[in-house]
Amino acid sequence: MMRASYNVGNNYMDQCLRTSEATVSNKSGDGLGSLLVIEDALVQSTIISRLGEKMGFSTTTAGSYVEAAMLLQERVFDCITLDLGLGNHCGEEILHLLSVISCKVPILIVSGSEPAVCDEAVKVGKSLGLNIYEPVQKPIDHKALRKTLAEIKQSL
Amino acid sequence: VTHTARKLGDPMTSNDYDDASPEQAALKPADEAAPGRGNGDHVQPVMDRAVYDELAEEIGEETACEMLDIFLEETVARLALLHRLSCPNDCVQIEREAHSLKGTAGTFGFKQLSKLSRRLEVGASGMSDAEFRMAFGQIEQAFNAARAQLPAQFAVAK
């Protein structure tokens, strides 16, 4: 597994320090694959987390780009789900960030964007050398998400 | 359905707006008939209960109820925010809010609300403010209809 390590600016760190811990939930379990759910909508992140837990992952939720960047700097995850819309940031910014830290873990886009937009993000991810899976559309296709998470879990 | 969901499931009245936060108070029921009615568009069901039931099966009944409560609360705040926005100046934010509403409404099976939100998300960049107000009014009505239907939906369940 890789360890996130990269330089960040002072403004960024200030932002991180101001970020509320309350929106970061962590249900850790020994021996479980770890899943980072990057999703700014509480309802969606809860659903993805529950499904992840059903598939045997321990889940951590990042509700913003800043929280995600902070968590990726601090910890190692076995799998990442990514929403393409994160407030003022877009998911592709996270893809670039993951590329900068040479992330090789499975990345699964879960998005309500048009399929063409999701496909483009997958192309960008692949061009950046990321281990990116076929996207899951919102409203979340539960079966498709469980199936993909099960495949990923098995591959760990 | 939790107590909160039942309460939120009741259609809002003038008193509800009086008691609401300043943001919620800005959200007033549309007075005019729903724009677009009779324009030939296929009308989606207000709520597809099967979608909610599938969600409850996946994440558990209790969590699904909690999420529905959160959705209802968030949507009241989101509509209040949209009410204050205008096209074309705020179209990026309008698209973003409509995108979020589209996805979450669809998650619970609120198909009409999701469809109208998608229409706003896709079309906001080309809308005049009057067109935006019309689209917003439709969304507001769809949400109120969805919320009003919740008590009946859950009264017949289980």
Side-chain angles (χ1 to χ4, degrees), chain A residues 82 108-112 118 133-142 144-146 148:
Chain A
L82 176 62
L108 177 59
I109 290 171
V110 183
S111 174
C118 294
Y133 278 62
E134 285 303 304
V136 171
Q137 284 288 139
K138 289 180 191 167
I140 295 171
D141 180 339
H142 306 122
L145 180 57
R146 273 196 283 110
T148 307

Side-chain angles (χ1 to χ4, degrees), chain B residues 22 50 94 121 136:
Chain B
I94 289 167
E121 178 195 9
F136 172 73

Side-chain angles (χ1 to χ4, degrees), chain B:
Chain B
V1 185
T2 64
H3 172 73
T4 316
R6 280 204 190 94
K7 187 178 161 195
L8 287 167
D10 296 336
M12 285 185 94
T13 64
S14 305
N15 287 340
D16 290 325
Y17 287 104
D18 292 341
D19 294 339
S21 66
E23 282 192 346
Q24 290 169 328
L27 176 64
K28 295 186 174 145
D31 293 323
E32 60 272 335
R37 272 186 191 164
N39 62 3
D41 284 357
H42 173 66
V43 178
Q44 297 280 348
V46 172
M47 182 181 189
D48 182 344
R49 181 57 198 262
V51 174
Y52 177 85
D53 288 341
E54 190 192 328
L55 175 68
E57 196 176 324
E58 290 285 353
I59 67 172
E61 184 76 39
E62 193 178 343
T63 305
C65 278
E66 286 172 11
M67 292 304 106
L68 182 56
D69 280 344
I70 289 168
F71 165 73
L72 295 170
E73 287 173 5
E74 284 183 344
T75 303
V76 168
R78 177 163 284 130
L79 293 181
L81 171 63
L82 280 168
H83 184 80
R84 294 197 305 271
L85 300 179
S86 63
C87 268
N89 290 349
D90 303 313
C91 82
V92 172
Q93 193 172 1
I94 289 167
E95 285 169 1
R96 194 182 299 153
E97 297 301 329
H99 173 83
S100 297
L101 184 53
K102 172 193 75 177
T104 318
T107 296
F108 293 104
F110 295 124
K111 293 197 165 179
Q112 179 70 0
L113 181 58
S114 183
K115 179 187 171 186
L116 292 169
S117 302
R118 181 184 182 278
R119 192 181 295 171
L120 177 59
E121 178 195 9
V122 172
S125 61
M127 283 182 181
S128 66
D129 198 48
E131 289 168 332
F132 164 60
R133 293 285 149 212
M134 190 178 286
F136 172 73
Q138 289 177 308
I139 288 172
E140 191 180 42
Q141 287 190 346
F143 176 62
N144 283 333
R147 203 164 45 169
Q149 203 180 85
L150 285 177
Q153 283 285 342
F154 288 95
V156 297
K158 297 184 174 66

